[in-house]
Amino acid sequence: MKALALLLLPALAFAAPPSSARRVSTLLVPMDPGAEASSVQMEAYMNDALGHFAGMSVRKSEELFGMPEDPEAKASLDRGRKGYSESVAAFDKKEYEDAERKVRATLKELQGAAAAMRGCSPLCDALALYAALLHLRGDTEEAKLALIDLMALSPTHELSPKRFSREFISLRVQVATSRTSQLRGSATVKSRPAGARVFVDGEAVGFTPVTLPTLPIGKHMLRVERPGFRQYGQLMEVATDDVEVTANLVPTSAYKAYDAKLDRVAGEVSRAGPKASGVAALTQSLGLDRLLIGTLRSQGEGSELTLGYYDGRTGERMAGRRMALQGDEYGQLKNEMERVVNQLVNSIGEKVTKSRDPLDNRGGMEDWSEEDRGGRTKAQDKQRKAGKDPLDGVSGTEDW
């Protein structure tokens, strides 16, 4: 046993983070409503960039301030799961009236569970069961509407031939190819505060405010998340008319404490003095060793970013930068954030860890720069001198 432990020691040493790793994070203070929309996304990009440095343990905003589930949504989900199990049991016994009563109550319960659901189950299963019960009692049009909602939530949801009749499965195929199922609608999702990540049917679709122009009509599961706030969710009904949803997010106690210090901290970052006692106090209260903190102001179609990289113990401003950003129309924002983080941290002597990507730092044109004016590369010259190129001196037209 002792020998096994000795063999595992090197592996454990590599797997565990170094005990001396500096705890670092990025925080951006939006100075106006327009800057709120991009601040969380930019923080995430900067934290990703900090993670490339050796000896750093990055703490993301959701770790610092929390992002708790909605307890009421969690309770509704638990009751919905139980209700679905009871509905299925009644359906399998052919007690259809009891099954319909229970599945109706289950669907009502799951209306308030969207913030806690991470997949389509049990909502999609309950909708399929409800549609089958409607079809059994001859209410075909209502069954079709339930199937429209099911396909909006999960177009590939499978119906078990062991549980459902062949006629009902055929009805689902008929609805899937109907004109109604091809209709699309638009939904705009906003939040207070802005900048929250939006998930529709489990897929990340952007940050608030965001407009989704081509959603299938029917029900969709909406979830909105912002670090420092309770998760928000609802079942969103999309029709051919435009739909607008505004999520009023509830802050955590940790975020409220942080928010109370922002005026002082934002002033110190803007003044860019050599030391900032407010930043030091904030950094220590968050359990960090160093903090990359900045202010963000909207400026026309872009924004102005003022950044400072601070030592948490002393409040010393070790590096700083002020820059104008032109938005993210072409997806360039992530690269810009990584570049500015690398410049700031490298300026005080930190080293980036070696990338595992074999194409890292290669633009794809390195070999072009090695060509002479005739298109021959330095590698080819080396081969010719060594006499290793079997086609040396051959143009391919000798036989002609």
Side-chain angles (χ1 to χ4, degrees), residues 1 21 28 91 96 143 145 168 175 218 260 298 301 305 313 324 328 361 365-367 376:
M1 193 69 183
L28 295 182
F91 183 86
Y96 297 133
L145 292 177
F168 176 65
V175 172
S298 56
E301 295 183 358
L305 175 64
R313 295 169 301 170
D328 197 25
N361 298 321
M365 296 186 294
E366 289 80 5
D367 293 336
R376 189 170 59 198

Side-chain angles (χ1 to χ4, degrees), residues 191-264:
S191 69
R192 298 191 184 98
R197 186 183 288 273
V198 177
F199 297 83
V200 174
D201 302 330
E203 297 292 329
V205 294
F207 294 81
T208 57
V210 62
T211 298
L212 310 168
T214 56
L215 287 175
I217 64 166
K219 287 185 172 63
H220 292 273
M221 193 163 50
L222 172 69
R223 192 171 83 251
V224 180
E225 296 180 352
R226 194 180 198 277
F229 294 82
R230 183 187 297 170
Q231 297 175 34
Y232 173 93
Q234 74 170 69
L235 279 184
M236 178 174 63
E237 185 79 35
V238 173
T240 51
D241 297 330
D242 294 342
V243 176
E244 183 174 303
V245 176
T246 299
N248 293 308
L249 304 179
V250 179
T252 63
S253 56
Y255 189 86
K256 288 179 182 178
Y258 161 71
D259 191 50
K261 302 174 183 177
L262 288 188
D263 286 342
R264 178 184 177 187

Side-chain angles (χ1 to χ4, degrees), residues 325-341:
L325 302 170
Q326 299 304 315
D328 197 25
E329 184 178 359
Y330 302 106
Q332 76 278 14
L333 186 60
K334 182 175 183 179
N335 288 335
E336 287 188 40
M337 294 299 96
E338 184 171 355
R339 192 178 303 115
V340 71
V341 168

Side-chain angles (χ1 to χ4, degrees), residues 10 30 37 49 51 83 98 140-141 215 228 239 250 280 288 309 323 326 346 378:
D98 187 38
T140 304
E141 293 306 313
L215 287 175
V250 179
L288 300 172
Y309 187 43
M323 60 187 297
Q326 299 304 315
N346 282 329
K378 293 178 181 177

Side-chain angles (χ1 to χ4, degrees), residues 266-316:
E268 291 180 342
V269 173
S270 299
R271 288 191 293 272
K275 285 195 175 184
S277 57
V279 173
L282 173 64
T283 307
Q284 292 167 17
S285 69
L286 295 175
L288 300 172
D289 299 309
R290 289 184 178 176
L291 180 63
L292 181 60
I293 187 166
T295 58
L296 188 66
R297 288 182 173 85
S298 56
Q299 193 177 64
E301 295 183 358
S303 55
E304 182 186 72
L305 175 64
T306 302
L307 277 175
Y309 187 43
Y310 291 88
D311 186 309
R313 295 169 301 170
T314 63
E316 177 190 356

